Protein backbone atom coordinates (compact mmCIF):
# COMPACT_ATOMS: atom_id res chain seq x y z
CA UNK A 1 0.00 0.00 0.00
CA UNK A 2 2.92 2.31 0.68
CA UNK A 3 3.89 1.80 -2.95
CA UNK A 4 0.38 2.73 -3.97
CA UNK A 5 1.00 6.11 -2.38
CA UNK A 6 4.40 6.46 -4.07
CA UNK A 7 4.81 8.78 -7.02
CA UNK A 8 7.54 6.61 -8.45
CA UNK A 9 5.26 4.97 -11.01
CA UNK A 10 6.82 2.33 -13.19
CA UNK A 11 4.08 2.05 -15.78
CA UNK A 12 4.98 2.64 -19.41
CA UNK A 13 1.70 4.32 -20.38
CA UNK A 14 1.56 8.00 -19.31
CA UNK A 15 -2.19 7.78 -18.73
CA UNK A 16 -1.74 4.80 -16.42
CA UNK A 17 0.96 6.61 -14.50
CA UNK A 18 -1.17 9.73 -14.20
CA UNK A 19 -4.13 7.70 -12.98
CA UNK A 20 -2.03 5.86 -10.40
CA UNK A 21 -0.49 9.11 -9.20
CA UNK A 22 -3.94 10.67 -8.79
CA UNK A 23 -5.24 7.60 -6.94
CA UNK A 24 -2.19 7.59 -4.67
CA UNK A 25 -2.73 11.22 -3.72
CA UNK A 26 -6.40 10.56 -2.95
CA UNK A 27 -5.61 7.52 -0.82
CA UNK A 28 -2.95 9.44 1.07
CA UNK A 29 -5.37 12.33 1.66
CA UNK A 30 -8.05 9.93 2.92
CA UNK A 31 -5.54 8.25 5.22
CA UNK A 32 -4.42 11.55 6.75
CA UNK A 33 -8.04 12.72 7.12
CA UNK A 34 -9.00 9.58 9.04
CA UNK A 35 -5.96 9.87 11.31
CA UNK A 36 -6.90 13.49 12.07
CA UNK A 37 -10.25 12.25 13.36
CA UNK A 38 -8.66 10.32 16.23
CA UNK A 39 -9.97 11.87 19.46
CA UNK A 40 -10.78 10.99 23.06
CA UNK A 41 -14.39 9.96 22.58
CA UNK A 42 -16.28 8.19 25.39
CA UNK A 43 -15.58 4.47 25.07
CA UNK A 44 -18.23 2.63 23.02
CA UNK A 45 -20.02 5.88 22.12
CA UNK A 46 -21.21 6.34 18.53
CA UNK A 47 -18.17 8.52 17.71
CA UNK A 48 -15.85 5.96 19.31
CA UNK A 49 -17.39 3.19 17.22
CA UNK A 50 -16.87 5.17 14.02
CA UNK A 51 -13.27 5.82 15.01
CA UNK A 52 -12.82 2.09 15.68
CA UNK A 53 -14.08 1.29 12.19
CA UNK A 54 -11.62 3.68 10.52
CA UNK A 55 -8.86 2.43 12.82
CA UNK A 56 -9.23 -1.05 11.35
CA UNK A 57 -8.48 0.27 7.86
CA UNK A 58 -5.59 2.42 9.08
CA UNK A 59 -3.98 -0.46 10.98
CA UNK A 60 -4.28 -2.69 7.90
CA UNK A 61 -2.43 -0.11 5.81
CA UNK A 62 0.27 0.25 8.47
CA UNK A 63 0.82 -3.53 8.50
CA UNK A 64 1.05 -3.67 4.71
CA UNK A 65 3.55 -0.81 4.66
CA UNK A 66 5.71 -2.67 7.18
CA UNK A 67 5.80 -5.66 4.84
CA UNK A 68 7.15 -3.69 1.89
CA UNK A 69 10.69 -4.71 0.83
CA UNK A 70 13.35 -2.66 2.59
CA UNK A 71 16.35 -1.28 0.72
CA UNK A 72 19.02 -1.31 3.40
CA UNK A 73 19.21 1.89 5.44
CA UNK A 74 16.39 3.95 3.96
CA UNK A 75 17.14 7.04 6.03
CA UNK A 76 14.53 8.90 8.03
CA UNK A 77 10.84 8.12 8.31
CA UNK A 78 10.16 10.85 5.76
CA UNK A 79 12.30 9.03 3.20
CA UNK A 80 10.52 5.69 3.58
CA UNK A 81 7.21 4.31 2.31
CA UNK A 82 5.52 4.48 5.74
CA UNK A 83 2.84 7.11 5.35
CA UNK A 84 0.66 5.85 8.20
CA UNK A 85 3.35 6.31 10.84
CA UNK A 86 4.48 9.57 9.24
CA UNK A 87 0.96 11.01 9.35
CA UNK A 88 0.54 9.88 12.97
CA UNK A 89 3.57 11.96 13.90
CA UNK A 90 2.79 14.93 11.68
CA UNK A 91 -0.76 15.16 13.05
CA UNK A 92 0.43 14.72 16.64
CA UNK A 93 -1.70 11.62 17.18
CA UNK A 94 0.80 9.01 18.40
CA UNK A 95 0.54 9.87 22.09
CA UNK A 96 -3.21 10.22 21.75
CA UNK A 97 -3.33 6.66 20.38
CA UNK A 98 -1.36 5.47 23.38
CA UNK A 99 -3.70 7.30 25.76
CA UNK A 100 -6.75 5.89 23.98
CA UNK A 101 -5.35 2.38 24.31
CA UNK A 102 -4.40 2.83 27.95
CA UNK A 103 -7.82 4.29 28.85
CA UNK A 104 -9.51 1.46 26.96
CA UNK A 105 -7.58 -1.25 28.81
CA UNK A 106 -8.28 0.35 32.18
CA UNK A 107 -11.99 0.61 31.38
CA UNK A 108 -12.34 -2.98 30.14
CA UNK A 109 -9.99 -4.82 32.49
CA UNK A 110 -12.73 -5.81 34.91
CA UNK A 111 -14.98 -8.39 33.20
CA UNK A 112 -18.10 -7.11 34.98
CA UNK A 113 -17.40 -3.51 33.99
CA UNK A 114 -16.69 -4.57 30.42
CA UNK A 115 -19.96 -6.49 30.26
CA UNK A 116 -21.88 -3.46 31.56
CA UNK A 117 -20.27 -1.19 28.97
CA UNK A 118 -21.12 -3.61 26.16
CA UNK A 119 -24.74 -4.00 27.33
CA UNK A 120 -25.20 -0.22 27.56
CA UNK A 121 -23.68 0.38 24.11
CA UNK A 122 -25.74 -2.37 22.49
CA UNK A 123 -28.93 -0.76 23.80
CA UNK A 124 -27.97 2.79 22.86
CA UNK A 125 -26.70 1.91 19.39
CA UNK A 126 -29.24 -0.82 18.60
CA UNK A 127 -26.53 -3.44 18.10
CA UNK A 128 -26.30 -7.01 19.31
CA UNK A 129 -24.00 -7.47 22.34
CA UNK A 130 -21.78 -9.82 20.33
CA UNK A 131 -21.37 -7.14 17.63
CA UNK A 132 -20.25 -4.62 20.24
CA UNK A 133 -17.89 -7.15 21.82
CA UNK A 134 -16.35 -7.85 18.41
CA UNK A 135 -15.67 -4.13 17.98
CA UNK A 136 -14.14 -4.00 21.46
CA UNK A 137 -11.75 -6.85 20.66
CA UNK A 138 -10.94 -5.37 17.25
CA UNK A 139 -10.15 -1.97 18.77
CA UNK A 140 -7.56 -3.43 21.13
CA UNK A 141 -5.93 -5.42 18.34
CA UNK A 142 -5.92 -2.65 15.73
CA UNK A 143 -4.76 0.14 18.02
CA UNK A 144 -2.15 -2.16 19.50
CA UNK A 145 -0.78 -3.11 16.09
CA UNK A 146 -0.78 0.51 14.91
CA UNK A 147 1.33 1.56 17.88
CA UNK A 148 3.61 -1.44 17.34
CA UNK A 149 4.22 -0.36 13.74
CA UNK A 150 4.90 3.21 14.85
CA UNK A 151 7.42 2.25 17.54
CA UNK A 152 9.69 0.56 15.01
CA UNK A 153 10.67 4.10 13.98
CA UNK A 154 13.16 6.01 16.13
CA UNK A 155 11.35 9.21 15.20
CA UNK A 156 8.26 7.88 16.97
CA UNK A 157 10.21 7.00 20.10
CA UNK A 158 11.69 10.50 20.17
CA UNK A 159 8.20 12.00 20.52
CA UNK A 160 6.58 9.21 22.52
CA UNK A 161 5.26 9.62 26.06
CA UNK A 162 7.67 6.98 27.35
CA UNK A 163 6.52 7.13 30.99
CA UNK A 164 2.95 6.37 29.85
CA UNK A 165 4.13 3.49 27.64
CA UNK A 166 6.01 1.89 30.54
CA UNK A 167 3.15 2.55 32.98
CA UNK A 168 0.72 0.98 30.50
CA UNK A 169 2.99 -2.05 30.08
CA UNK A 170 3.25 -2.50 33.83
CA UNK A 171 -0.52 -2.25 34.27
CA UNK A 172 -1.21 -4.81 31.54
CA UNK A 173 1.24 -7.28 33.06
CA UNK A 174 -0.08 -6.68 36.60
CA UNK A 175 -3.66 -7.43 35.54
CA UNK A 176 -2.76 -10.66 33.78
CA UNK A 177 -0.78 -11.76 36.83
CA UNK A 178 -3.99 -11.51 38.87
CA UNK A 179 -6.13 -13.16 36.17
CA UNK A 180 -3.84 -15.63 34.35
CA UNK A 181 -6.74 -17.68 32.98
CA UNK A 182 -7.51 -14.83 30.56
CA UNK A 183 -4.61 -16.03 28.40
CA UNK A 184 -6.21 -19.45 27.95
CA UNK A 185 -8.97 -17.79 25.90
CA UNK A 186 -6.55 -16.26 23.37
CA UNK A 187 -5.33 -18.10 20.30
CA UNK A 188 -4.05 -17.25 16.83
CA UNK A 189 -4.33 -13.60 15.82
CA UNK A 190 -6.13 -12.72 19.06
CA UNK A 191 -3.07 -13.93 21.00
CA UNK A 192 -0.58 -12.32 18.63
CA UNK A 193 -2.29 -8.91 18.75
CA UNK A 194 -3.50 -8.71 22.36
CA UNK A 195 -1.80 -6.20 24.64
CA UNK A 196 -0.30 -8.91 26.82
CA UNK A 197 1.76 -9.92 23.78
CA UNK A 198 2.29 -6.53 22.18
CA UNK A 199 3.67 -4.79 25.28
CA UNK A 200 6.71 -7.04 24.85
CA UNK A 201 7.14 -5.74 21.30
CA UNK A 202 6.78 -2.15 22.52
CA UNK A 203 9.42 -2.72 25.18
CA UNK A 204 11.82 -4.30 22.70
CA UNK A 205 11.50 -1.29 20.38
CA UNK A 206 12.31 0.92 23.37
CA UNK A 207 15.20 -1.29 24.47
CA UNK A 208 16.82 -1.27 21.03
CA UNK A 209 16.87 2.53 20.99
CA UNK A 210 17.89 3.18 24.60
CA UNK A 211 21.29 4.65 23.77
CA UNK A 212 20.07 6.85 20.92
CA UNK A 213 17.28 8.27 23.11
CA UNK A 214 19.78 9.54 25.71
CA UNK A 215 17.32 8.55 28.44
CA UNK A 216 18.58 5.14 29.51
CA UNK A 217 18.65 5.88 33.23
CA UNK A 218 15.15 7.37 33.24
CA UNK A 219 13.74 4.44 31.26
CA UNK A 220 15.35 1.96 33.64
CA UNK A 221 14.02 3.86 36.66
CA UNK A 222 10.50 3.67 35.20
CA UNK A 223 10.83 -0.03 34.39
CA UNK A 224 11.82 -0.60 38.01
CA UNK A 225 9.12 1.70 39.41
CA UNK A 226 6.34 -0.15 37.60
CA UNK A 227 7.82 -3.60 38.19
CA UNK A 228 7.92 -4.31 34.47
CA UNK A 229 10.96 -6.60 34.40
CA UNK A 230 9.87 -8.95 37.17
CA UNK A 231 6.26 -8.92 35.91
CA UNK A 232 7.40 -9.73 32.38
CA UNK A 233 9.55 -12.62 33.59
CA UNK A 234 6.67 -13.94 35.74
CA UNK A 235 4.29 -13.65 32.77
CA UNK A 236 6.56 -15.63 30.45
CA UNK A 237 7.38 -18.13 33.19
CA UNK A 238 3.69 -19.01 33.28
CA UNK A 239 2.71 -18.57 29.62
CA UNK A 240 5.81 -19.19 27.46
CA UNK A 241 4.34 -22.39 26.00
CA UNK A 242 1.65 -20.31 24.26
CA UNK A 243 4.34 -18.60 22.22
CA UNK A 244 6.43 -21.57 21.15
CA UNK A 245 6.40 -21.64 17.38
CA UNK A 246 4.82 -18.18 17.18
CA UNK A 247 7.27 -16.07 15.21
CA UNK A 248 9.77 -13.98 17.12
CA UNK A 249 7.96 -13.47 20.45
CA UNK A 250 10.30 -15.55 22.62
CA UNK A 251 13.53 -14.41 20.88
CA UNK A 252 12.32 -10.82 21.30
CA UNK A 253 11.75 -11.35 25.02
CA UNK A 254 15.26 -12.75 25.40
CA UNK A 255 16.75 -9.84 23.43
CA UNK A 256 14.88 -7.25 25.51
CA UNK A 257 16.06 -8.80 28.77
CA UNK A 258 19.64 -8.91 27.47
CA UNK A 259 19.47 -5.23 26.51
CA UNK A 260 18.19 -4.03 29.88
CA UNK A 261 20.37 -6.42 31.91
CA UNK A 262 23.38 -4.89 30.16
CA UNK A 263 22.62 -1.36 31.40
CA UNK A 264 24.61 0.29 34.18
CA UNK A 265 21.39 0.89 36.12
CA UNK A 266 20.48 -2.78 36.17
CA UNK A 267 24.03 -3.89 36.98
CA UNK A 268 24.03 -1.48 39.92
CA UNK A 269 20.55 -2.28 41.24
CA UNK A 270 20.09 -5.90 40.13
CA UNK A 271 19.37 -7.23 43.63
CA UNK A 272 16.91 -4.44 44.29
CA UNK A 273 14.98 -5.09 41.06
CA UNK A 274 14.95 -8.88 41.43
CA UNK A 275 14.66 -8.73 45.17
CA UNK A 276 13.68 -12.27 46.13
CA UNK A 277 14.48 -15.86 45.24
CA UNK A 278 11.11 -16.50 43.60
CA UNK A 279 11.78 -13.77 41.04
CA UNK A 280 15.33 -15.01 40.45
CA UNK A 281 14.15 -18.63 40.10
CA UNK A 282 11.52 -17.63 37.55
CA UNK A 283 14.20 -15.87 35.49
CA UNK A 284 16.55 -18.85 35.67
CA UNK A 285 13.78 -21.25 34.64
CA UNK A 286 13.38 -19.40 31.34
CA UNK A 287 16.75 -20.71 30.21
CA UNK A 288 15.67 -24.35 30.07
CA UNK A 289 12.18 -23.37 28.91
CA UNK A 290 13.26 -21.70 25.68
CA UNK A 291 16.47 -19.65 25.89
CA UNK A 292 18.83 -22.62 25.49
CA UNK A 293 17.17 -23.43 22.17
CA UNK A 294 18.39 -20.07 20.82
CA UNK A 295 22.04 -20.55 21.78
CA UNK A 296 22.88 -22.87 18.88
CA UNK A 297 23.30 -19.76 16.76
CA UNK A 298 26.63 -18.09 17.59
CA UNK A 299 25.35 -14.58 16.87
CA UNK A 300 22.30 -15.14 19.04
CA UNK A 301 24.48 -16.33 21.92
CA UNK A 302 26.64 -13.23 21.60
CA UNK A 303 23.58 -10.98 21.62
CA UNK A 304 22.13 -12.74 24.67
CA UNK A 305 25.36 -12.89 26.69
CA UNK A 306 24.29 -10.18 29.20
CA UNK A 307 21.15 -12.22 29.88
CA UNK A 308 23.14 -15.44 30.32
CA UNK A 309 25.59 -13.70 32.66
CA UNK A 310 22.74 -12.37 34.80
CA UNK A 311 21.06 -15.77 35.00
CA UNK A 312 24.37 -17.27 36.15
CA UNK A 313 24.57 -14.63 38.89
CA UNK A 314 21.02 -15.47 39.97
CA UNK A 315 21.82 -19.19 39.93
CA UNK A 316 24.83 -18.71 42.21
CA UNK A 317 22.80 -16.54 44.57
CA UNK A 318 20.04 -19.16 44.73
CA UNK A 319 22.62 -21.83 45.54
CA UNK A 320 24.00 -19.73 48.40
CA UNK A 321 20.52 -19.05 49.79
CA UNK A 322 19.36 -22.67 49.60
Amino acid sequence: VGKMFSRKGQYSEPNDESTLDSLSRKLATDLRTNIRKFASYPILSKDWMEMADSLQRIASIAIMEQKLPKKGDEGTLWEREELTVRFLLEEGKLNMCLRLLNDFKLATTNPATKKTLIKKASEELSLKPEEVEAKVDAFEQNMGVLIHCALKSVESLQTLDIPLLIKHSGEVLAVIAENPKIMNEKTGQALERCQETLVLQYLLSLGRKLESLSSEDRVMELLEEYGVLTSLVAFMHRHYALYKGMGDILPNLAEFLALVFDTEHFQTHRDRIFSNDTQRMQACDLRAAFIDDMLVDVQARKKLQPLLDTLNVFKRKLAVNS
Side-chain angles (χ1 to χ4, degrees):
V1 170
K3 291 294 183 187
M4 290 177 68
F5 293 130
S6 174
R7 298 188 181 186
K8 302 172 184 176
Q10 297 181 3
Y11 291 81
S12 57
E13 292 293 334
N15 287 340
D16 289 344
E17 184 173 342
S18 176
T19 300
L20 181 62
D21 189 63
S22 175
L23 177 61
S24 296
R25 287 197 300 271
K26 182 181 185 305
L27 289 171
T29 299
D30 289 347
L31 177 62
R32 187 188 287 272
T33 298
N34 280 300
I35 287 173
R36 280 177 177 164
K37 291 179 180 177
F38 284 167
S40 298
Y41 301 116
I43 295 173
L44 295 185
S45 64
K46 181 180 178 182
D47 289 334
W48 187 94
M49 289 288 203
E50 291 177 355
M51 179 178 67
D53 287 339
S54 66
L55 172 62
Q56 185 162 1
R57 295 189 293 272
I58 292 167
S60 295
I61 294 171
I63 292 169
M64 292 174 71
E65 288 177 333
Q66 291 289 321
K67 292 179 179 178
L68 289 172
K70 299 293 188 291
K71 300 176 182 178
D73 184 3
E74 295 190 335
T76 69
L77 177 63
W78 283 264
E79 297 170 301
R80 300 195 299 272
E81 299 281 358
E82 296 176 29
L83 292 190
T84 309
V85 175
R86 198 180 93 195
F87 291 167
L88 273 178
L89 296 190
E90 290 178 349
E91 299 300 329
K93 296 295 186 178
L94 177 59
N95 285 324
M96 171 169 284
C97 287
L98 180 57
R99 289 193 298 274
L100 287 169
L101 182 59
N102 182 242
D103 290 345
F104 168 81
K105 284 298 285 184
L106 291 174
T108 57
T109 289
N110 184 292
T113 304
K114 180 179 178 181
K115 186 176 181 180
T116 300
L117 280 170
I118 290 173
K119 184 175 183 295
K120 181 172 180 286
S122 67
E123 293 170 352
E124 291 179 350
L125 301 174
S126 300
L127 295 170
K128 295 178 181 178
E130 53 267 30
E131 291 178 309
V132 178
E133 186 168 12
K135 286 183 179 289
V136 166
D137 294 340
F139 179 87
E140 175 178 343
Q141 293 181 28
N142 292 322
M143 187 62 85
V145 166
L146 181 60
I147 292 172
H148 176 38
C149 291
L151 296 190
K152 293 180 181 181
S153 161
V154 68
E155 292 89 352
S156 295
L157 288 165
Q158 289 168 344
T159 62
L160 183 71
D161 185 344
I162 291 176
L164 178 57
L165 177 73
I166 295 175
K167 174 177 176 289
H168 172 71
S169 301
E171 289 170 348
V172 168
L173 292 168
V175 167
I176 203 65
E178 295 177 3
N179 305 279
K181 291 182 179 179
I182 293 175
M183 295 305 295
N184 296 335
E185 303 168 4
K186 301 179 187 291
T187 58
Q189 182 172 291
L191 174 62
E192 183 181 355
R193 296 186 178 184
C194 70
Q195 278 303 284
E196 291 75 18
T197 299
L198 284 176
V199 291
L200 167 60
Q201 308 284 36
Y202 302 161
L203 292 169
L204 176 59
S205 293
L206 186 59
R208 284 175 171 171
K209 299 294 190 298
L210 270 179
E211 293 184 3
S212 62
L213 293 174
S214 302
S215 56
E216 179 180 298
D217 286 343
R218 180 57 181 150
V219 168
M220 291 302 301
E221 288 169 1
L222 289 165
L223 289 172
E224 181 179 358
E225 178 182 347
Y226 291 107
V228 171
L229 298 181
T230 50
S231 293
L232 186 58
V233 166
F235 171 76
M236 277 302 177
H237 186 266
R238 179 184 285 268
H239 300 293
Y240 75 89
L242 292 174
Y243 297 104
K244 284 210 165 185
M246 182 182 284
D248 56 4
I249 301 297
L250 295 179
N252 283 356
L253 168 71
E255 181 182 348
F256 171 69
L257 292 177
L259 287 166
V260 295
F261 286 179
D262 199 33
T263 62
E264 183 177 348
H265 180 95
F266 183 83
Q267 294 293 325
T268 303
H269 304 294
R270 179 177 54 222
D271 290 338
R272 188 177 73 193
I273 297 170
F274 283 79
S275 59
N276 60 63
D277 283 351
T278 297
Q279 294 170 340
R280 298 182 191 111
M281 178 67 77
Q282 287 177 337
C284 288
D285 286 347
L286 297 184
R287 177 152 187 173
F290 60 86
I291 293 172
D292 278 344
D293 293 340
M294 305 172 191
L295 303 182
V296 177
D297 183 277
V298 175
Q299 289 302 114
R301 175 180 280 275
K302 183 178 180 181
K303 182 189 293 185
L304 299 182
Q305 196 59 52
L307 169 59
L308 302 178
D309 292 343
T310 299
L311 297 183
N312 285 335
V313 171
F314 287 167
K315 187 176 180 180
R316 290 195 294 270
K317 196 170 189 68
L318 288 166
V320 169
N321 293 344
S322 62

